Amino acid sequence: MAGRWRMRLMAVVLLAALVAAGFAWWQARHWTPPRAEFPVQGALLGEDDGAVSLASLKAVGADFVYLEASNGSEKRDSSCAARWREAGAAGLPHGAVHVFAPCIPAQDQGANFVTIVPRDSQMLPPVVALEETAEACGPLAEAAIEAELTTFLNQVEGHTGKRAVLKLSKRFEARHGLGPRIERDLWLSGFWYQPDYAGRPWTLWTANPKLETQVTDSPIRWLVAQP
C-alpha cells in the first residue's frame, strides 16, 4: 500500500513539474518587457523570417522595425527592398542593418550597403552588426579592426546622414572590447534580462530573440528602444 501511494505521489510531482515546465516555455515564447517600463518596442526582420505583414506587426505592438539589408561586400537581404516600401506604407519607422565582416575591406562593404539602402531622411539610424570576431582573419586584420570599422562607419553615416548604432554580440565584445572605445549608441542582446556586457548602457535591446506572435508562423526577434 505504501509503495502504491509513493508511486502516485511521484506521478503527481512529475505531472506538476511538466505543467510548470510547459508554462515556463509558453511564457518564454510569448514574453515581452512590460510597456510601463519600456514603452517603445519593435522587431528585427530578415529574409529568414519568412512572410510577415508589417501592418499586422504594427497592430500587435511594434513601434518600429529594423530590416537586415546587407552583409559583407556582396550579400544582400532579398526581402529588404520590399519591406522598406511596406514599412513606409504602414507608417512604421524603419532602419537598415549591415552585418560587418571583419575579414573584408571596409570600403567594399560600404559600397554594398549604399547600393541597397536608399537615402531617406526619415529612416532610423543605421545599424552595424558586429558578430564575427577578427581572430580568424589573421593578426593584421585583428589589429586593424577598429580602423576598418571607423572607415565603414564614415561611409554609412555619410550616406544616411545619421550616426550609426553598434549591434555588439557578447562574443565580439569579449574579444575586441570596442563598446567603451567607440562613441556610438549600442544595441545589445539578453533574453529576459537587460544586458550590461559592453560597459555602458544600451539604446537598443534584443529582449526576446524568439517571440511568437499571431502575425507569423515563425518566431521573430523582439526589440526594446530607449533614449
Side-chain angles (χ1 to χ4, degrees):
M1 181 69 70
R4 186 179 303 171
W5 277 105
R6 190 178 298 112
M7 291 181 64
R8 289 179 179 177
L9 179 60
M10 290 177 62
V12 170
V13 171
L14 178 59
L15 178 60
L18 290 174
V19 170
F23 180 74
W25 178 87
W26 188 93
Q27 283 282 83
R29 303 290 281 189
H30 295 82
W31 177 82
T32 59
R35 288 277 179 172
E37 187 176 358
F38 303 103
V40 182
Q41 303 188 20
L44 169 63
L45 296 177
E47 60 188 12
D48 292 340
D49 294 305
V52 181
S53 165
L54 296 191
S56 298
L57 191 64
K58 182 179 180 181
V60 298
D63 303 303
F64 65 94
V65 63
Y66 266 100
L67 305 174
E68 293 178 341
S70 51
N71 184 327
S73 60
E74 297 181 357
K75 296 179 182 178
R76 298 173 186 172
D77 192 289
S78 61
S79 69
C80 181
R83 281 181 172 151
W84 195 273
R85 294 189 295 269
E86 187 183 356
L92 193 61
H94 50 287
V97 177
H98 174 86
V99 179
F100 187 80
C103 301
I104 298 175
Q107 290 187 340
D108 296 341
Q109 298 191 61
N112 189 25
F113 179 87
V114 303
T115 298
I116 190 172
V117 178
R119 292 182 183 272
D120 183 349
S121 61
Q122 300 303 309
M123 72 180 290
L124 297 173
V127 171
V128 182
L130 300 167
E131 300 169 353
E132 296 297 322
T133 65
E135 57 191 313
C137 313
L140 292 179
E142 188 165 13
I145 183 68
E146 188 169 349
E148 284 292 294
L149 178 59
T150 299
T151 297
F152 180 74
L153 288 172
N154 288 337
Q155 289 179 278
V156 167
E157 292 171 349
H159 176 71
T160 62
K162 299 176 184 289
R163 283 173 66 86
V165 176
L166 299 183
K167 185 177 184 293
L168 293 173
S169 72
K170 184 177 290 187
R171 177 169 174 257
F172 184 95
E173 181 59 17
R175 179 70 184 187
H176 298 292
L178 295 185
R181 302 208 308 267
I182 297 184
E183 294 184 5
R184 297 295 190 281
D185 288 340
L186 300 180
W187 176 341
L188 306 178
S189 299
F191 176 51
W192 212 295
Y193 64 90
Q194 294 188 57
D196 59 3
Y197 56 82
R200 56 190 178 91
W202 54 269
T203 296
L204 286 164
W205 165 29
T206 302
N208 191 339
K210 293 184 178 182
L211 177 69
E212 291 189 356
T213 72
Q214 60 266 46
V215 302
T216 176
D217 293 333
S218 301
I220 59 175
R221 290 160 287 182
W222 195 252
L223 316 175
V224 171
Q226 64 181 357

